Amino acid sequence: MSVVSCILAGVYLLLFPYLIKCSITALFHKLKKEITCSYLTASLLFFAAAEGLFLVTVLIGRGLAVYRLALLLLFGIFLALSVFILVFGKKIRSLEKEQAAACIRGFREQKKALAIVVVCFCISLIATLLSKTPFESDMYDTAERARMIMESGGFFGIDALTGQLSAGITLKERLMGLPAFYGATASLFHVPLLPFLQVLIPGYLLILVFLFLLRLSEKTKKMGAGYEALCFGFLLALLCAGSAYRNPFYDLLHLPFEGRCFLAIWLLPLGLLLLLEQKKWPGRIGVLLLVLFVAAFFGGLAEGVLIAALGMILWSVSLWISRYIS
């Protein structure tokens, strides 16, 4: 496995949402709208774009090669647009510099907290890397689906577990774009699939989770829950609950590349937080639709959209009831 290829694939996964963030911020600035796009929101848009391209590729009857090319072209468009914005957009460039300076200043002022967060992240990553991965399972087939896609060049037609021709195409196969995304990204940078799933994806997911905890800490400061406390609590939950089969922390510890892990550990909590931040119904409906669309990317209809919809609806009802409780 080439270390350079792994690094490039990791940079690609982390840079794509940032390019979307810059482009969205500049677009609303041009429209005279005072709005900024956070990295987490841009990550949701990134997965939504990957799902949209997957559905279009399936609709026109194409396979992995076209899907990979579409992702690469989208990345090139956002890269060129972001470079143009940062070079010629003085206000956007100054805004990015201010945000970077504020981040660096916060790290310098909170060195002890930063050290705790780094230690928690490293221990979490090491735990996921050292844990045994049960690849052969009827319930966890993302790795096999991605391998089948890379070998055949098509999205379906072969049973991922047996290697035989499948009797039909399920709705989950038509909607769940995560295996195709794994196959496209790994083949694009010539990274072997198993190291890609076992090394790169756990680190990528943990970065998204710790960024979510940072945003959550900003909302819980009034309750005295600091960022380092949330990270330490997350680490304890991972190490203590990771041995209980079929719970979210088990999936994170043993199968971090599974769509249901992204859904339970990152997508649903982030969706609930974004829903809480919205003050008007159009914003809440937009967040709900975006989360449901991304949930289809991670889990299809039954394991993705329905579970996410249930969680978001229950949370919306709770928020509505809380308005009438003093």
Side-chain angles (χ1 to χ4, degrees), residues 55-94:
L55 294 178
V56 171
T57 306
V58 171
L59 185 63
I60 64 177
R62 300 295 181 175
L64 180 64
V66 173
Y67 182 56
R68 182 175 57 227
L69 179 60
L71 286 171
L72 187 59
L73 288 176
L74 185 64
F75 178 81
I77 291 172
F78 278 115
L79 178 61
L81 184 59
S82 298
V83 170
F84 179 82
I85 290 169
L86 294 176
V87 171
F88 297 100
K90 294 183 179 180
K91 292 186 177 180
I92 301 299
R93 186 170 64 249
S94 62

Side-chain angles (χ1 to χ4, degrees), residues 111-132:
K111 293 182 179 180
K112 183 178 179 180
L114 177 62
I116 295 175
V117 170
V118 171
V119 170
C120 290
F121 177 84
C122 291
I123 295 177
S124 300
L125 180 59
I126 292 173
T128 58
L129 296 180
L130 295 180
S131 298
K132 183 179 179 181

Side-chain angles (χ1 to χ4, degrees), residues 248-305:
F249 288 100
Y250 173 88
D251 290 345
L252 179 59
L253 194 61
H254 299 278
L255 295 142
F257 49 82
E258 285 288 337
R260 69 184 68 183
C261 181
F262 274 86
L263 180 69
I265 292 293
W266 180 73
L267 177 60
L268 194 52
L270 176 60
L272 300 181
L273 181 60
L274 293 177
L275 198 63
L276 180 64
E277 294 176 350
Q278 301 301 316
K279 303 301 180 183
K280 298 181 180 180
W281 280 109
R284 293 176 180 175
I285 294 175
V287 168
L288 178 62
L289 293 178
L290 178 60
V291 170
L292 293 181
F293 193 67
V294 177
F297 175 75
F298 285 125
L301 180 61
E303 297 181 5
V305 177

Side-chain angles (χ1 to χ4, degrees), residues 28-80:
F28 279 98
H29 179 75
K30 281 292 185 181
L31 295 175
K32 308 299 181 183
K33 300 288 186 179
E34 294 297 329
I35 187 173
T36 57
C37 179
S38 69
Y39 185 86
L40 288 173
T41 305
S43 298
L44 283 178
L45 295 173
F46 167 50
F47 291 125
E51 171 70 356
L53 292 177
F54 172 74
L55 294 178
V56 171
T57 306
V58 171
L59 185 63
I60 64 177
R62 300 295 181 175
L64 180 64
V66 173
Y67 182 56
R68 182 175 57 227
L69 179 60
L71 286 171
L72 187 59
L73 288 176
L74 185 64
F75 178 81
I77 291 172
F78 278 115
L79 178 61

